[in-house]
Amino acid sequence: MEGLACRDITVRFGQQTVLNGVSLHVEPGQIVGLVGPSGSGKSTLLRVIAGLVVPDAGRVEWDGVDVAAVPTHARRFGYVFQDQQLFGHLDVAGNVGFGLKMSRRPNTEIAVRVSELLDLVDLRGFGRRSVIDLSGGEAQRVALARALAPRPRLLLLDEPLSALDHDLRKQLGSELRRVLNEQGIPAIHVTHDHAEATQICDVVIALHQRTTDETTPSINT
Amino acid sequence: MDHHRPALNRRVVRLVGFAPAVFLAVFFVWPVVAIVGRGLSGGGLVDVITDPILVRIAWFTLWQAVASTLLTLLVGLPVAFVLARYQFRGRRGIESLLVVPFVLPTVVVGTAFLALLPNSWHGTVEAVLIAHVYFNVSVVVRTLTPVWRQVDGRLTDAARTLGATPWQSFRRVVAPILQPALRSAASIVFMFTFTSFGVVLFLGGPRHPTLEVEIYRRTAQLLDLRSAAALALIQVVCMAAVLGLAGRRPKVAIPRRFVERPTSFNAWVVLAILVPAVVAVLAPLVALATRAGQWRALFTGRPFDALVTSAFTALVAAGIATLLGCAAGVCVNAPARSSRLLEVLLSLPLGTSAVTVGFGLLVAFSGPLLDLRGNRLVIPVAHAIIGLPFVMRLVTAALRDVHPRQRDAAATLGASPWQVWRTVDWTALRRPAALGAGFAFAVSVGEFGASVFLVRRGNPTLPTLINETLGRPGASNNQLGHAMAVVLALLSGGALYVVDRMGERWKA
């Protein structure tokens, strides 16, 4: 099967079962919305896919191949965190270029890619700024640019808009949709806001009772 | 400027600040000036700088400090890592245990390693380095662990999803966050080992003197105050340079939030690092206790007199340090420019070695005008100088936490300025004052570097008598010396334990 497939993922933390046999499929170029109340295990599923949590049962496959043996840094799955997790000791450009630096790309190439991405997220000229002084919306754009810079094959978005106020959320939501379409990168967008999911995503899947249900049929296709 | 009502009016503040300022000026600043004067007069400095033996001593002092610092970091880093990253039962207990070496008097550490290490290691550089690591490793652990614990686990997750290998994410994300703490730990350890006296005197033997030990040797054995002063001058200049460099480091923002994250627990890593650490902390102490003997002799004659002298000294020193430290703390908190100056002045002893304090008092007050040698208050005064900054810092920190509006509220309720001070400031002050007193007591009981210059032949303190006893031949002297070290460890350890308990209770 092409793209990402999660099969019967189960995760337990001690006595507590966080995910119980969850399956999910993301086709190439598709944006899948994953909605559910807090505590339903949405973030944990993303962490399993990224390789940050090892599932107790089930498999994660990419193009039909199990990625269990592939460590996080080699999976090429980008991750955008709810609270950004920008590196405070680096400026905006340092953050956006971080992934390319890790794969030891030459500095000139990094500089070109960074300014390209800052253009994409509407932050031209922000490269030398400190990430500590950014507004919430700016910080989230930097986080998105940072995740896109190493050209991931899949993007995991963990409630990237939930910390923003209502107007900004709508505006950034449509921007996010535009950017993802332009880049043609498949994505999983986790949110507790149903309206936001339908605005951005091709498919919306509900996660409750710690299993998935495709409650909403494909919209926006 | 402060819009709130100041704690006390300015004239009172000036009066209160006067006492500690005068005390420090007479018993600390003047002695240091006297050292400088002695060192510069009569060509002593030129003789010293051109003396190849002394150049070698200075070089040894520097490189053993650098080596000690690097080794301490090497040992402390993995321990800090395990304590910061893993959550397990007994972690608190191990954290407390690891602090024990640092609070032990230097004389106790020196004696304990004499007991632990085979005779062939006595008087070697290795013994000095090992003891320095033992003594200072908790500085690294205590400084790094809280910062490391605050490194949000998701920050390294972010690095990993961006393609960073575990090593890259440590080097590029964790290390830069740890760096300021690492640097401050390194400079503290360097300062301690550069000015290390007791440990080097006990373990380095006559073949490995540092500047401090040589100052002592020239003063006590060769009675050559002129070249000793020149050495002390070099020492003071070196310390000032180190402090200047350490103080200029840029401040880096550290994330405040503490995120405890379930880390996959690797029992083997934890055990492999902590078991040796715990054994290493306990081994010298066990060796010390097994070597000790002649317990009965402890309660008669000179050992008992020394115990009484040490207790008396510590009580007086703690009294002076607490009174003046509180006065200074109150004063430093007042919004006046002179109070900044006072804070700087009173912090100076923190960056000065005990040997400098003791030697300075000796040089300054052995003249024809005023000869304080042999006065029984000289040693308490020296110890009070060392304890005073600690009391002041505790008091200042507590008073800074008092919200200014509390005083406004008290005043609007009809409290007179004096009543305001008593109800608001005094309430905030008395706990840190008690903590400071206990701390000053513990510091004084174990103090060696200053005391050894000032002690009277017939009336030693416990640490100086240990030094004297171990220097004498005979198995029974040896046992007695070790037994006295056990008592000393219990005395200062007990005082610090009480202080710690008090602090915990009051925090809750």
Side-chain angles (χ1 to χ4, degrees):
Chain A
M1 202 188 293
E2 263 197 289
L4 178 88
C6 297
R7 299 187 192 282
D8 301 319
I9 302 283
T10 296
V11 174
R12 290 183 208 95
F13 290 148
Q15 300 292 318
Q16 194 194 356
T17 302
V18 183
L19 291 170
N20 192 6
V22 171
S23 295
L24 181 76
H25 181 213
V26 182
E27 285 167 27
Q30 193 181 36
I31 305 172
V32 173
L34 193 60
V35 295
S38 47
S40 58
K42 305 182 299 280
S43 298
T44 305
L45 183 60
L46 290 196
R47 293 175 63 81
V48 168
I49 294 168
L52 296 167
V53 168
V54 179
D56 293 287
R59 331 161 8 104
V60 178
E61 291 173 3
W62 182 259
D63 288 347
V65 180
D66 190 349
V67 295
V70 183
T72 300
H73 65 270
R75 287 194 185 186
R76 294 183 50 218
F77 295 164
Y79 203 125
V80 178
F81 295 81
Q82 181 181 350
D83 49 359
Q84 298 107 36
Q85 299 295 338
L86 298 178
F87 303 126
H89 60 285
L90 300 173
D91 59 12
V92 168
N95 269 276
V96 175
F98 186 88
L100 296 165
K101 188 129 195 143
M102 292 304 104
S103 51
R104 298 179 206 288
R105 311 303 309 167
N107 285 338
T108 47
E109 184 193 322
I110 295 176
V112 171
R113 179 80 178 143
V114 166
S115 69
E116 194 179 303
L117 278 152
L118 288 180
D119 281 354
L120 183 74
V121 296
D122 246 0
L123 288 178
R124 184 191 291 258
F126 271 59
R128 295 269 80 85
R129 290 254 208 128
S130 157
V131 295
I132 295 160
D133 308 326
L134 297 176
S135 72
E138 288 164 352
Q140 204 48 270
R141 286 171 213 224
V142 173
L144 179 64
R146 182 178 73 169
L148 288 171
R151 302 181 203 279
R153 41 189 192 178
L154 172 74
L155 196 60
L156 306 167
L157 301 149
D158 191 356
E159 307 218 23
L161 307 177
S162 67
L164 308 175
D165 65 52
H166 182 261
D167 290 345
L168 192 57
R169 190 147 75 188
K170 274 200 111 151
Q171 185 206 333
L172 258 185
S174 57
E175 244 178 76
L176 184 61
R177 165 97 212 168
R178 169 182 64 83
V179 168
L180 289 176
N181 281 344
E182 265 176 46
Q183 303 283 310
I185 299 173
I188 302 176
H189 180 103
V190 160
T191 176
H192 57 261
D193 181 350
H194 224 281
E196 180 191 308
T198 49
Q199 181 201 359
I200 297 168
C201 307
D202 305 317
V203 181
V204 178
I205 290 172
L207 188 64
H208 54 76
Q209 300 290 321
R210 303 187 168 90
T211 55
T212 40
D213 258 346
E214 198 160 330
T215 51
T216 322
S218 294
I219 45 165
N220 223 350
T221 37
Chain B
M1 211 56 227
D2 201 330
H3 296 286
H4 295 282
R5 155 190 307 276
L8 291 168
N9 85 41
R10 279 208 186 171
R11 207 174 305 156
V12 178
V13 164
R14 262 191 216 133
L15 218 63
V16 169
F18 202 58
V22 168
F23 180 78
L24 254 280
V26 173
F27 294 113
F28 177 71
V29 177
W30 164 238
V32 172
V33 170
I35 290 177
V36 175
R38 268 289 179 111
L40 290 177
S41 71
L45 193 61
V46 178
D47 291 353
V48 162
I49 289 174
T50 52
D51 184 345
I53 295 174
L54 288 173
V55 171
R56 217 184 57 212
I57 291 172
W59 169 241
F60 172 70
T61 308
L62 181 68
W63 85 250
Q64 66 78 26
V66 171
S68 299
T69 306
L70 292 178
L71 284 172
T72 308
L73 288 177
L74 203 68
V75 174
L77 270 168
V79 177
F81 166 74
V82 166
L83 291 176
R85 232 59 204 106
Y86 295 109
Q87 189 75 46
F88 49 91
R89 204 183 300 175
R91 196 191 68 194
R92 283 278 177 88
I94 289 178
E95 273 177 19
S96 311
L97 182 71
L98 290 175
V99 185
V100 167
F102 186 65
V103 302
L104 288 174
T106 51
V107 169
V108 173
V109 173
T111 314
F113 273 91
L114 284 178
L116 180 73
L117 298 174
N119 281 340
S120 60
W121 284 55
H122 295 178
T124 62
V125 183
E126 286 82 355
V128 171
L129 294 185
I130 291 172
H132 277 167
V133 172
Y134 180 80
F135 200 55
N136 291 303
V137 82
S138 79
V139 173
V140 175
V141 174
R142 293 277 274 203
T143 317
L144 280 183
T145 306
V147 181
W148 209 327
R149 207 171 276 160
Q150 275 176 344
V151 176
D152 194 325
R154 283 170 307 164
L155 211 55
T156 49
D157 286 349
R160 305 273 282 121
T161 61
L162 290 165
T165 62
W167 168 242
Q168 279 178 318
S169 96
F170 175 79
R171 215 174 74 85
R172 300 283 180 175
V173 177
V174 179
I177 295 173
L178 292 185
Q179 204 197 29
L182 201 67
R183 262 212 254 178
S184 85
S187 49
I188 292 169
V189 174
F190 180 84
M191 260 168 48
F192 283 151
T193 51
F194 188 78
T195 61
S196 171
F197 175 63
V199 167
V200 181
L201 186 69
F202 274 52
L203 296 170
R207 280 183 299 130
H208 302 288
T210 54
L211 284 172
E212 309 274 322
V213 173
E214 187 65 13
I215 292 168
Y216 172 62
R217 200 176 71 88
R218 299 213 162 202
T219 309
Q221 290 168 19
L222 308 179
L223 303 175
D224 178 5
L225 283 190
R226 198 179 58 120
S227 68
L231 285 176
L233 177 59
I234 293 173
Q235 216 274 336
V236 168
V237 170
C238 287
M239 285 301 286
V242 171
L243 279 176
L245 285 177
R248 230 189 300 146
R249 65 175 176 271
K251 289 248 175 349
V252 173
I254 294 164
R256 280 295 168 91
R257 215 154 24 96
F258 169 44
V259 180
E260 190 121 23
R261 154 182 98 117
T263 313
S264 55
F265 184 76
N266 191 334
W268 289 114
V269 173
V270 175
L271 288 176
I273 290 171
L274 288 188
V275 170
V278 169
V279 170
V281 168
L282 294 177
L285 299 179
V286 172
L288 177 68
T290 50
R291 278 288 181 91
Q294 306 285 323
W295 293 98
R296 226 168 259 168
L298 275 180
F299 300 99
T300 55
R302 300 191 78 212
F304 188 74
D305 290 345
L307 195 61
V308 172
T309 303
S310 273
F312 167 78
T313 302
L315 282 175
V316 176
I320 299 173
T322 308
L323 268 177
L324 296 180
C326 285
V330 168
C331 202
V332 161
N333 238 33
R337 205 180 320 147
S338 54
S339 63
R340 295 269 91 213
L341 210 67
L342 185 67
E343 186 172 16
V344 172
L345 172 73
L346 294 180
S347 298
L348 283 177
L350 283 180
T352 315
S353 78
V355 165
T356 305
V357 172
F359 179 64
L361 284 169
L362 183 73
V363 171
F365 295 110
S366 58
L369 270 179
L370 185 60
D371 195 345
L372 287 180
R373 275 176 306 174
N375 189 307
R376 57 194 272 130
L377 285 179
V378 172
I379 294 180
V381 163
H383 292 181
I385 290 168
I386 297 167
L388 208 157
F390 294 103
V391 180
M392 180 188 71
R393 296 208 155 184
L394 283 167
V395 169
T396 313
L399 288 182
R400 270 186 195 142
D401 281 347
V402 175
H403 199 288
R405 290 215 192 282
Q406 294 231 305
R407 297 190 190 103
D408 296 348
T412 57
L413 290 166
S416 70
W418 166 245
Q419 283 172 318
V420 169
W421 191 84
R422 216 184 53 201
T423 48
V424 180
D425 292 277
W426 169 243
T427 315
L429 187 105
R430 55 183 192 213
R431 285 171 181 179
L435 286 185
F439 202 75
F441 181 91
V443 167
S444 169
V445 161
E447 208 290 321
F448 178 64
S451 314
V452 82
F453 283 89
L454 304 167
V455 74
R456 286 179 293 168
R457 269 258 163 266
N459 204 357
T461 61
L462 202 50
T464 58
L465 185 61
I466 292 171
N467 177 41
E468 201 188 308
T469 310
L470 289 176
R472 275 195 237 113
S476 63
N477 277 327
N478 201 283
Q479 285 181 330
L480 182 60
H482 286 78
M484 284 192 287
V486 171
V487 171
L488 182 60
L490 291 176
L491 201 60
S492 75
L496 283 171
Y497 181 78
V498 171
V499 167
D500 190 52
R501 290 285 91 188
M502 284 196 305
E504 285 294 313
R505 247 220 342 263
W506 285 339
K507 239 186 272 165

